[in-house]
Amino acid sequence: MGSNGFMTTITPLHHIRVALERNPYDVVIGAGGLATLGQQMLDSGVEPGRRVLVVSNPDVATPYGDACLNSLKDAGFSVELLVIDAGEHQKTPSTIAAIHDAAYGAKLERSSLMVALGGGVVGDMTGFAAATWLRGIQVIQVPTTLLAMVDASIGGKTGVNHPRGKNLIGAFHQPRLVLIDPSTLSSLPAREFRAGMAEVIKYGILGDTALFEELEACSDPSTPAGLGSERLSSILGRSAAAKARVVEADEKEGGLRAILNYGHTFGHVVETLCGYGTWLHGEAVAIGMVAVGELAVLRGSWSRNDAERQRRLIDSAGLPTAWPDLSAVAVLDSLQVDKKVRDGRLRFVLPTGIGSVDIRDDVSREEILECLERLQG
């Protein structure tokens, strides 16, 4: 263990290929893997000597910044670090401008790279800054939160928030490499870990019944210790593989990839109307999953028993399940500016069973209002 408390023991690294037709890349998973970042970049074909801007936040840069920078320098890269403030409320165009300013100061060229060292907010913003600097330079994602590891870092969706909605400004920009080091979860606040479990549960609903049942059988899925190292490694690998399969089939969300928005339609409403920062993204998704589960029960596509199983698992993971006190009119207005609206019709990802979902665009205003009434009743 290093002087900063970072575990340097390296376990065998597990590679998951995101086999896109253009710009394929690997997701590399393994405890202590952060110390190999520079070598992993070289192995992926990045030439030594390239300029690299590492973007992080104070909570991550303090324990892990040196390990990241030293690994890159040892591999022959020219490195600079930019530390930005953390939090969803910082996910704005002005923060992107700050990253662009740092890119200019670091003299980043088209052959240069950015590295996102942090959670989903850092990953989204760094990815978008890379997509728009010099019309696009490469980005490496090094997620340090569970939510970013299993979801945000894989698939190339980048962006920032608009006051009227989450992630309305953004671009698809696939990473060159994703490096997941589970050791970084040891310093993750308990609330942040629980937020990531919402996305893990989501994968169980989407198509991995065995994962859902494994989590149900776990006495405490709300902490790394409760899961255990073997189950945690399994969760990371299975979640990353599930995300990779969907991204391979539908890179830019023209069809199948929309299933990954399960729980997000109502979840984004909660984030927007309650104010960014009131709920963590994963917490809002958990609330959204319960809400869309109620909508599915209302429409007769999902059983009450399955809805309760989902609610119980979300609760056992230490996540919120209650719908906040929001104006129905405000909810409907917020839904209409959602990115998933097509030709004025809002698409919902509705569960049909534990392990299966359906994308529907025929949900009526009346059904949404009745669902909201049930949730607040």
Side-chain angles (χ1 to χ4, degrees):
M1 184 173 291
S3 60
N4 62 359
F6 177 65
M7 181 66 69
T8 55
T9 301
I10 300 171
T11 62
L13 300 176
H14 178 46
H15 291 246
I16 296 170
R17 190 67 168 170
V18 184
L20 298 173
E21 186 174 346
R22 297 178 60 191
N23 304 318
Y25 56 94
D26 282 342
V27 178
V28 181
I29 305 173
L34 183 58
T36 74
L37 174 60
Q39 186 59 51
Q40 295 297 328
M41 287 171 58
L42 294 175
D43 291 347
S44 74
V46 180
E47 295 180 2
R50 298 302 185 191
R51 291 191 174 100
V52 179
L53 175 66
V54 177
V55 182
S56 190
N57 64 50
D59 293 338
V60 175
T62 299
Y64 306 121
D66 286 346
C68 178
L69 297 180
N70 290 338
S71 177
L72 293 171
K73 290 174 182 176
D74 290 346
F77 295 106
S78 174
V79 189
E80 293 203 24
L81 172 67
L82 171 66
V83 178
I84 59 176
D85 290 336
E88 188 75 25
H89 61 286
Q90 297 291 338
K91 197 173 166 184
T92 65
S94 62
T95 305
I96 298 298
I99 300 175
H100 285 159
D101 287 345
Y104 183 83
K107 297 181 173 60
L108 295 195
E109 305 165 348
R110 287 192 171 177
S111 61
S112 303
L113 303 94
M114 293 187 189
V115 171
L117 176 66
V121 171
V122 167
D124 280 0
M125 290 195 296
T126 306
F128 184 56
T132 49
W133 183 250
L134 300 177
R135 297 187 176 91
I137 64 172
Q138 294 183 333
V139 65
I140 310 290
Q141 293 285 352
V142 185
T144 59
T145 67
L146 179 60
L147 189 149
M149 288 177 181
V150 301
D151 184 60
S153 65
I154 305 167
K157 287 174 72 172
T158 72
V160 295
N161 299 330
H162 184 275
R164 292 296 304 276
K166 185 177 172 67
N167 291 333
L168 293 181
I169 307 165
F172 285 96
H173 190 57
Q174 297 293 343
R176 176 65 179 260
L177 169 75
V178 179
L179 178 68
I180 296 174
D181 185 345
S183 301
T184 61
L185 295 175
S186 63
S187 61
L188 189 67
R191 184 183 175 190
E192 293 273 2
F193 183 86
R194 293 193 296 266
M197 284 303 299
E199 298 285 354
V200 175
I201 294 169
K202 178 189 78 174
Y203 287 119
I205 297 293
L206 294 184
D208 195 338
T209 306
L211 173 61
F212 190 93
E213 292 174 347
E214 182 180 357
L215 293 173
E216 280 186 308
C218 180
S219 59
D220 180 18
S222 68
T223 66
L227 288 169
S229 59
E230 287 189 15
R231 184 180 280 123
L232 178 58
S233 294
S234 173
I235 282 172
L236 291 174
R238 287 164 70 169
S239 298
K243 180 72 179 280
R245 286 193 298 271
V246 174
V247 171
E248 287 166 1
D250 180 19
E251 181 180 356
K252 296 192 175 179
E253 207 169 287
L256 175 66
R257 185 168 176 174
I259 68 171
L260 295 174
N261 290 315
Y262 179 67
H264 288 59
T265 301
F266 279 127
H268 287 170
V269 169
V270 170
E271 287 183 280
T272 301
L273 296 184
C274 291
Y276 297 127
T278 301
W279 296 104
L280 297 177
H281 175 65
E283 292 170 336
V285 168
I287 295 170
M289 289 165 64
V290 172
V292 81
E294 186 62 37
L295 180 61
V297 171
L298 171 66
R299 287 171 58 90
S301 65
W302 209 31
S303 71
R304 173 58 65 188
N305 179 62
D306 282 349
E308 287 304 315
R309 285 178 66 190
Q310 176 184 250
R311 182 190 290 270
R312 284 194 299 271
L313 181 54
I314 290 171
D315 184 66
S316 71
L319 289 159
T321 59
W323 185 257
D325 184 16
L326 299 173
S327 157
V329 173
V331 170
L332 289 171
D333 287 345
S334 182
L335 287 171
Q336 284 306 310
V337 297
D338 190 275
K339 300 186 302 300
K340 293 169 283 298
V341 173
R342 283 192 176 181
D343 299 322
R345 298 169 72 90
L346 181 64
R347 294 184 299 163
F348 280 94
V349 184
L350 295 176
T352 57
I354 302 296
S356 61
V357 295
D358 191 17
I359 302 171
R360 302 301 300 248
D361 65 358
D362 60 350
V363 178
S364 69
R365 174 188 175 93
E366 289 70 28
E367 287 173 321
I368 295 172
L369 289 173
E370 184 175 349
C371 175
L372 294 174
E373 191 173 321
R374 288 189 181 191
L375 290 169
Q376 294 190 318

